Amino acid sequence: MKLKHFGLILSITMVMFLAACGNNPAENMYTHMEKAVVLEEVFEQQQEPLIIAEKKEHELYEQIIKLGMSEYEEIVDLSQQAIAIVQERKQLMDKEKMSIEAGYEEFLKIEAEIEELKDEELKNFALQLKETMTNRFESYQVLYDEYDMALSLDEELYTMLQQEDLTIDELQEKIDEINEAYERVMEAKDVFNEYTEAYNEEKKEFYTLAELDITFVD
């Protein structure tokens, strides 16, 4: 489940220059917004391990469904391995969530700076930027909740697979429930990614409108 990061590579000279500033509200906003990017690096670092864990779990699931009940002990062993991976995915998501929350908390420090902006056009644009970022944060909370629910259903499935008296109907009902959960996850992921893209674009526009001399490398 690949999510989009809001980091942008900026010129080092601008970062160093602004670190020494404190009088310009737009520059102070820049400092908080780019510190938020750094705080979200942990979020970015969870993406590849999550994808790898999802792939490993899917491979175990494929192995399990090819086995018959005469191979019950192997089914139990593979199911327990799959549960361990589900729990690993949960830990990665929790790290991701903490990173998103830390970045948003830093971002919110721009509120005081927005009030200090004298240019009305710039101020209105800054308020729009804040709204987009808030929507992004809230959409992530929805995504996290949906993903967490899907993980719980995954764990329920692998626990069920260890029951010798499990019926085909019970199994199919749980699989249908899981498929529906992951459809909601994908929908929430798309919304989050859309807000991330919108925020990235608006942030660049804000820096340009504020006449901050920054070089962007996407």
Side-chain angles (χ1 to χ4, degrees), residues 62 70 80 107-108 113 116 149 158 170 191 206 216:
E62 290 292 320
S70 60
Q80 289 174 346
F107 173 85
L108 288 179
E113 304 300 337
E116 297 298 320
M149 175 59 72
Y158 295 120
E170 289 173 331
V191 173
F206 174 79
F216 299 99

Side-chain angles (χ1 to χ4, degrees), residues 11-208:
S11 64
I12 299 300
T13 53
M14 190 63 187
V15 175
M16 293 175 65
F17 169 70
L18 290 179
C21 292
N23 299 323
N24 186 325
E27 291 173 352
N28 293 337
M29 287 177 63
Y30 165 92
T31 300
H32 292 306
M33 287 191 283
E34 296 313 315
K35 185 176 179 182
V37 171
V38 173
L39 290 169
E40 274 206 15
E41 285 179 357
V42 175
F43 156 78
E44 179 72 6
Q45 292 162 3
Q46 307 316 303
Q47 299 304 298
E48 186 175 355
L50 263 172
I51 292 171
I52 292 172
E54 287 170 356
K55 183 178 179 181
K56 284 167 59 179
E57 184 193 324
H58 181 72
E59 290 171 352
L60 287 171
Y61 173 74
E62 290 292 320
Q63 292 178 52
I64 292 169
I65 61 174
K66 290 177 182 176
L67 297 173
M69 286 311 295
S70 60
E71 298 161 294
Y72 174 70
E73 289 185 6
E74 188 174 354
I75 290 174
V76 170
D77 179 61
L78 292 172
S79 296
Q80 289 174 346
Q81 290 181 48
I83 288 174
I85 293 176
V86 170
Q87 293 170 347
E88 177 189 346
R89 289 167 61 196
K90 169 67 174 171
Q91 291 173 354
L92 291 168
M93 281 295 293
D94 286 344
K95 288 181 182 178
E96 182 182 278
K97 183 173 185 285
M98 289 176 63
S99 177
I100 289 281
E101 290 174 344
Y104 184 62
E105 184 177 348
E106 179 64 32
F107 173 85
L108 288 179
K109 293 177 182 178
I110 72 168
E111 290 177 319
E113 304 300 337
I114 292 176
E115 295 303 315
E116 297 298 320
L117 292 170
K118 305 302 181 186
D119 185 289
E120 282 302 312
E121 181 184 6
L122 189 60
K123 187 172 187 175
N124 289 335
F125 199 94
L127 290 170
Q128 173 60 46
L129 182 68
K130 176 178 174 290
E131 181 179 353
T132 301
M133 181 54 152
T134 298
N135 288 337
R136 176 183 184 267
F137 177 74
E138 291 175 352
S139 72
Y140 178 81
Q141 300 300 316
V142 173
L143 172 59
Y144 175 86
D145 290 343
E146 294 291 0
Y147 196 88
D148 190 56
M149 175 59 72
L151 289 176
S152 296
L153 292 172
D154 281 341
E155 189 162 350
E156 289 176 14
L157 170 65
Y158 295 120
T159 300
M160 288 174 63
L161 287 166
Q162 298 177 57
Q163 300 171 4
E164 289 190 82
D165 59 349
L166 177 65
T167 68
I168 293 297
D169 287 343
E170 289 173 331
L171 179 60
Q172 188 60 56
E173 183 179 351
K174 182 59 65 176
I175 290 173
D176 289 344
E177 193 176 358
I178 289 172
N179 288 338
E180 290 174 4
Y182 277 104
E183 284 181 11
R184 294 193 297 272
V185 168
M186 295 304 293
E187 290 170 1
K189 181 204 73 171
D190 288 342
V191 173
F192 173 78
N193 284 342
E194 286 170 8
Y195 277 126
T196 300
E197 289 181 354
Y199 173 78
N200 283 339
E201 288 303 312
E202 289 177 15
K203 184 170 73 165
K204 287 196 287 186
E205 290 177 34
F206 174 79
Y207 290 163
T208 300

